[in-house]
Amino acid sequence: MTTATPVFMLKGDSLVDFVNEKMPLINRGELTRTEMIKDAGYIYDNGKAMYVDFYTELLNARGVVPTTDTDTMEQEYDDLSEDKKDLYDKITDMLGEKSRLAGSPWTHEETIEFMDELSDIGIESASEFEDAYEWTHDNYSSYAEREFSEYFCIEVLDAKIPECVFAAIDWQDVWDHNLRYDFSSIETVNGTFFFRNN
């Protein structure tokens, strides 16, 4: 969305004074916050108020430095142990690239949640992650287990299954009655991930 900078856009002390002057009107219901924002010059070409720009400038004018998500992410990352940082980086390197190519990159929160899930199945370090990782199903799906079973039997075990038998195999049963004891799966919005059990 493009914006045209109005002839005036209040900043600094002028903005703080303007807001202090208008707040009694807002409190009495004689003016809306949207009208105040527009009157201060924070308005898009289409006539809508520029809320984020207005409040960011107001905070800056008052000397308040807002905490950003980036600040929180950096602090959370810095607070991780060295093993956890290595695991975080390994997840970002191995799985983040795949999700970026698919158009939905991992967020920091998703990575931290994924690390918690990994911890539940005994994966605490980058080397354990690398050793245990087996396969990713592209999305969250009820078909992930059966597709993993087919992949594992055909591609990894190199099973030679005659065509007449292949069509009769219930790959979900293969998962339910065999592979689920050897593998764990973690379902996320970025896909379903399969890991060898220790």
Side-chain angles (χ1 to χ4, degrees):
M1 177 179 294
T2 59
T3 61
T5 305
V7 177
F8 70 94
M9 191 180 265
L10 296 176
K11 297 192 180 285
D13 290 338
S14 298
L15 181 60
V16 173
D17 293 341
F18 176 80
V19 169
N20 290 340
E21 176 187 314
K22 298 297 180 182
M23 283 313 291
L25 297 173
I26 290 171
N27 292 336
R28 288 194 305 262
E30 298 173 18
L31 184 71
T32 67
R33 290 180 190 273
T34 301
E35 292 168 334
M36 177 182 68
I37 292 169
K38 289 179 178 182
D39 290 347
Y42 290 84
I43 186 167
Y44 288 109
D45 289 341
N46 63 7
K48 294 192 183 263
M50 300 168 67
Y51 294 97
V52 173
D53 294 338
F54 172 83
Y55 285 110
T56 300
E57 181 58 35
L58 182 60
L59 288 171
N60 289 335
R62 289 182 173 163
V64 176
V65 179
T67 302
T68 64
D69 287 341
T70 303
D71 295 336
T72 303
M73 289 174 3
E74 288 173 2
Q75 186 61 49
E76 284 180 355
Y77 181 82
D78 290 343
D79 290 344
L80 295 172
S81 69
E82 287 305 313
D83 281 346
K84 292 291 187 181
K85 284 181 185 175
D86 290 344
L87 177 57
Y88 185 103
D89 295 341
K90 179 58 75 176
I91 292 167
T92 304
D93 292 344
M94 278 183 68
L95 306 178
E97 181 61 27
K98 181 175 184 164
S99 66
R100 273 190 291 284
L101 294 173
S104 59
W106 287 75
T107 66
H108 169 74
E109 291 80 12
E110 289 168 339
T111 304
I112 295 296
E113 287 174 22
F114 191 65
M115 289 172 63
D116 290 341
E117 295 272 350
L118 288 170
S119 180
D120 290 345
I121 61 172
I123 298 173
E124 301 284 345
S125 69
S127 62
E128 290 173 343
F129 177 84
E130 219 170 355
D131 292 343
Y133 175 76
E134 185 65 42
W135 190 70
T136 303
H137 187 272
D138 290 336
N139 56 39
Y140 174 82
S141 158
S142 59
Y143 300 107
E145 292 167 348
R146 71 179 75 163
E147 290 181 18
F148 170 74
S149 299
E150 183 178 353
Y151 153 81
F152 187 76
C153 291
I154 303 299
E155 301 296 327
V156 177
L157 298 178
D158 197 26
K160 305 293 184 212
I161 302 170
E163 191 68 33
C164 62
V165 174
F166 188 83
I169 296 173
D170 183 337
W171 293 109
Q172 186 63 50
D173 276 351
V174 172
W175 171 262
D176 291 341
H177 300 291
N178 189 327
L179 295 180
R180 74 182 179 111
Y181 300 107
D182 298 321
F183 296 91
S184 295
S185 63
I186 298 175
E187 298 172 344
T188 73
V189 295
N190 293 309
T192 303
F193 301 89
F194 291 86
F195 297 91
R196 292 181 177 275
N197 292 335
N198 295 332

